[in-house]
Amino acid sequence: VPPTCDWRKLPGIISPIKQQGNCSCCWAMAAAGNIEALWGIRYHQPVEVSVQELLDCGRCGDGCKGGFTWDAFITVLNNSGLASAKDYPFLGNTKPHRCLAKKYKKVAWIQDFIMLQGNEQAIAWYLATKGPITVTINMKLLQHYQRGVIQAMHTTCDPQRVDHSVLLVGFGKSKSVAGRQAEGGSSRPRPHHPIPYWILKNSWGAEWGEEGYFRLHRGNNTCGITKYPVTARVDLRVKKRLVSCPP
Amino acid sequence: RSLKNQDPGPQPLELKQVFVLFQIQYNRSYSNPEEYARRLDIFAHNLAQAQQLEEEDLGTAEFGVTPFSDLTEEEFGQFYGHQRMAGEAPSVGRKVGSEEWGEP
């Protein structure tokens, strides 16, 4: 596992930050981001897939009322792929819509999906060598989050009560305390040691958090990040294909 | 120069001023004075909560005003969380006739 990894640094892999608005569709947006990233890594072509198709064509047909990332992957498998976000755009309201999957050309598809081992070392290895994955966390602290690395105790952020899916796009270590003070952060006392962290892509718009992203402490299952690490697989032809995440 | 003439520097904003800035930044308006008062209360509670989170955080995270600062924790969970089975592991059916049946 490399010391750092950030898929945002490789052009065409991570799509722009999405905005779910009044629709509880984090699960669909995280899954779409996962497919987009893996498609970009495998085929060297940026793609943006239809989140609305995932909402309209799921088993329950009421995607704005919540779900899990595996619901999205099952829909992609059942429909043999996804249309582009441009053809089948996101509407962002809670009213159920008719499934229009057959109307548009598929721009990306998956072979299957898997749940990874629930330990952070295995997740880091998979992330660095295969690509971004979806995780489901306890989002309680995100309501008031502005920036920086969240390092919460399990009493503050219960790892068993996970309720929000996001895309894991990288990891790293924060600078030493001197470096952070030079950046001009807040004046409260800071840890003196570098903090290992995960970089996560949220779906609440680019105005939220660190331009739509946030960071969680890596190493003690902060906010339940290891509970449901799930990813699609876009290619099974070369089973041992490993790719390199930019440091 | 005497102390009296010195610039006191930036003063802390009143809660209502901060709330006005929040409303402008995130384009919020409320249907009636009662709703405004309720949201102001929630906003004040959330600012205190954010301050407490920042004190308790062991990392470098900063907490404060966000687009969700006028929502209760329940509303936030309802609008932005999973809703369906929130916090619960999905039920996994056991195979009929599995050896696991009957075991603790």
Side-chain angles (χ1 to χ4, degrees):
Chain A
V1 177
T4 60
C5 158
D6 189 349
W7 284 107
R8 295 174 299 179
K9 292 181 179 172
L10 203 59
I13 306 298
I14 305 297
S15 59
I17 292 288
K18 302 179 200 304
Q19 169 62 275
Q20 65 185 78
N22 294 326
C23 172
S24 292
C25 62
C26 57
W27 57 279
M29 295 205 159
N34 175 241
I35 295 168
E36 289 162 350
L38 297 178
W39 193 268
I41 291 168
R42 173 66 186 86
Y43 297 108
H44 309 287
Q45 279 180 342
V47 67
E48 281 192 57
V49 298
S50 172
V51 171
Q52 193 62 41
E53 183 174 348
L54 294 172
L55 305 182
D56 297 345
C57 308
R59 281 182 300 174
C60 303
D62 57 353
C64 279
K65 291 186 176 170
F68 283 95
T69 53
W70 47 82
D71 297 326
F73 296 133
I74 289 168
T75 302
V76 182
L77 289 171
N78 285 342
N79 289 341
S80 307
L82 283 175
S84 73
K86 196 177 170 191
D87 285 346
Y88 198 157
F90 181 60
L91 299 170
N93 56 40
T94 53
K95 202 177 102 186
H97 298 272
R98 192 165 57 90
C99 174
L100 302 174
K102 289 185 178 162
K103 192 174 167 186
Y104 303 110
K105 190 185 103 180
K106 306 296 180 195
V107 295
W109 47 91
I110 66 173
Q111 302 297 328
D112 67 358
F113 64 95
I114 52 171
M115 187 174 288
L116 304 177
Q117 275 182 51
N119 82 69
E120 287 176 87
Q121 189 71 2
I123 290 172
W125 177 82
Y126 199 95
L127 178 63
T129 58
K130 305 277 189 178
I133 68 165
T134 69
V135 290
T136 302
I137 60 162
N138 180 333
M139 69 170 185
K140 185 183 169 188
L141 302 182
L142 302 186
Q143 182 175 5
H144 309 301
Y145 173 82
Q146 291 179 323
R147 63 188 73 82
V149 181
I150 298 173
Q151 187 175 356
M153 288 183 291
H154 291 179
T155 46
T156 315
C157 194
D158 184 350
Q160 294 303 318
R161 293 195 65 81
V162 297
D163 55 3
H164 184 50
S165 296
V166 291
L167 187 69
L168 188 54
V169 299
F171 54 84
K173 261 186 186 179
S174 68
K175 291 176 193 169
S176 66
V177 70
R180 278 200 303 278
Q181 280 171 344
E183 284 175 7
S186 77
S187 57
R188 92 177 143 122
R190 294 301 196 184
H192 287 265
H193 54 277
I195 302 172
Y197 59 79
W198 296 110
I199 307 166
L200 300 115
K201 182 188 183 191
N202 206 347
S203 49
W204 296 344
E207 283 189 0
W208 177 87
E210 297 180 330
E211 296 177 357
Y213 293 84
F214 64 105
R215 288 178 290 162
L216 283 182
H217 176 253
R218 176 165 58 102
N220 72 337
N221 190 25
T222 298
C223 298
I225 193 168
T226 63
K227 194 168 175 73
Y228 297 134
V230 182
T231 180
R233 293 202 289 195
V234 298
D235 182 29
L236 296 179
R237 276 179 293 167
V238 185
K239 290 203 171 173
K240 297 210 170 174
R241 179 189 295 274
L242 297 180
V243 291
S244 284
C245 173
Chain B
R1 289 189 296 173
S2 70
L3 281 172
K4 205 169 73 176
N5 293 334
Q6 282 183 357
D7 180 359
Q11 297 293 297
L13 292 172
E14 292 286 331
L15 176 67
K16 281 189 178 176
Q17 288 175 290
V18 180
F19 193 52
V20 168
L21 292 176
F22 164 81
Q23 286 184 275
I24 294 167
Q25 186 176 359
Y26 297 111
N27 196 24
R28 294 294 157 82
S29 58
Y30 304 105
S31 52
N32 55 56
E34 290 75 26
E35 180 64 9
Y36 172 87
R38 180 165 173 265
R39 292 296 158 189
L40 180 59
D41 267 359
I42 294 167
F43 184 80
H45 170 82
N46 281 338
L47 283 195
Q49 173 85 2
Q51 193 175 347
Q52 192 186 338
L53 288 176
E54 190 158 313
E55 282 162 13
E56 288 173 1
D57 186 70
L58 304 170
T60 61
E62 291 172 30
F63 299 92
V65 175
T66 71
F68 315 115
S69 291
D70 64 344
L71 299 179
T72 63
E73 194 179 323
E74 291 72 32
E75 287 170 331
F76 176 67
Q78 191 187 340
F79 297 152
Y80 296 95
H82 274 162
Q83 292 187 25
R84 186 183 301 158
M85 298 186 288
E88 299 294 327
S91 58
V92 178
R94 282 176 167 172
K95 286 180 197 166
V96 176
S98 154
E99 288 175 4
E100 291 168 22
W101 281 104
E103 287 184 5

